[in-house]
Amino acid sequence: MNKPFIAIEGPIGVGKSSLTHKLSQDLNYYEENEIIDENPFLSDFYDDISKWSFQTEMFFLCNRYKQFQDLAQIHQGIVSDYHIYKNKIFAHNTLTSTEYEKFTRIYDILTEDLQMPNIIIFLDADLSVLQQRIAKRNRSFEHQISDDYLFALKEDYTHFYNTLKADGQNVIKIDTSTLDFVTQDDDYQHILELVRPLIGGTKDE
């Protein structure tokens, strides 16, 4: 059986990093976190998405490619707060069709030999809940995220989940709208019980 490689995905503010940290502690897995604050284009991106989207997405893609490359050296289980495929989800919502075509070609080349997650946990929440969580963590560059942009991300993540589910991948989707797994242990234990069968069911690729 391949080592468990869990990716936690979902729209902005859904709690990916928080769950990643808690699972890594409980399961004794290596914790992988995406690099966000180091992107020099991010603040400009939220000010003018059409102008800065390609630079922003390319920076993220190259960083995440290097991070996934480095994960090949990790021998224990891994839990990551992102899947590199998220680059295509965000790019789909920000790039022009011509830019997206170019971006996709670069993405396909970079990822063709990467080790990919074999377990994917999709987190979701109502739009109003996501807005509250984004406001609570108070990242300056996220203040200008529009409802339409956030809703489009939710739809694209749902489509990604449905595609993987139909393909027989080891995936699960959890609605966290009424869950507080950060401060309420019962809520966290509920999620943990949903995740454990996926870890035991990882198949050889």
Side-chain angles (χ1 to χ4, degrees), residues 162-180:
N162 289 335
T163 299
L164 293 177
K165 187 72 173 178
D167 194 40
Q169 298 295 312
N170 210 13
V171 298
I172 189 172
K173 186 176 182 182
I174 304 172
D175 188 338
T176 67
S177 298
T178 60
L179 299 177
D180 182 0

Side-chain angles (χ1 to χ4, degrees), residues 8-20 34 81 86 123:
I8 300 178
E9 266 300 354
I12 299 169
V14 78
K16 299 182 292 292
S17 297
S18 297
L19 184 57
T20 295
E34 66 175 333
D81 69 354
K86 78 179 299 175
L123 302 181

Side-chain angles (χ1 to χ4, degrees), residues 6-9 14-27 29 31-33 79-82 120-124 172-174 176 179-182 184 187-195:
I6 302 172
I8 300 178
E9 266 300 354
V14 78
K16 299 182 292 292
S17 297
S18 297
L19 184 57
T20 295
H21 181 68
K22 291 180 76 69
L23 288 178
S24 70
Q25 296 294 302
D26 275 350
L27 301 174
Y29 283 5
E31 179 179 352
E32 170 72 1
N33 294 289
V79 56
S80 169
D81 69 354
Y82 69 100
I120 307 176
I121 303 168
F122 287 88
L123 302 181
D124 198 10
I172 189 172
K173 186 176 182 182
I174 304 172
T176 67
L179 299 177
D180 182 0
F181 56 81
V182 175
Q184 300 298 319
D187 288 347
Y188 172 65
Q189 293 300 324
H190 168 69
I191 290 179
L192 190 59
E193 289 308 306
L194 294 174
V195 171

Side-chain angles (χ1 to χ4, degrees), residues 122 124 153-163 173:
F122 287 88
D124 198 10
L153 289 177
K154 277 172 55 67
E155 287 195 318
D156 279 356
Y157 271 114
T158 297
H159 176 72
F160 184 33
Y161 164 77
N162 289 335
T163 299
K173 186 176 182 182

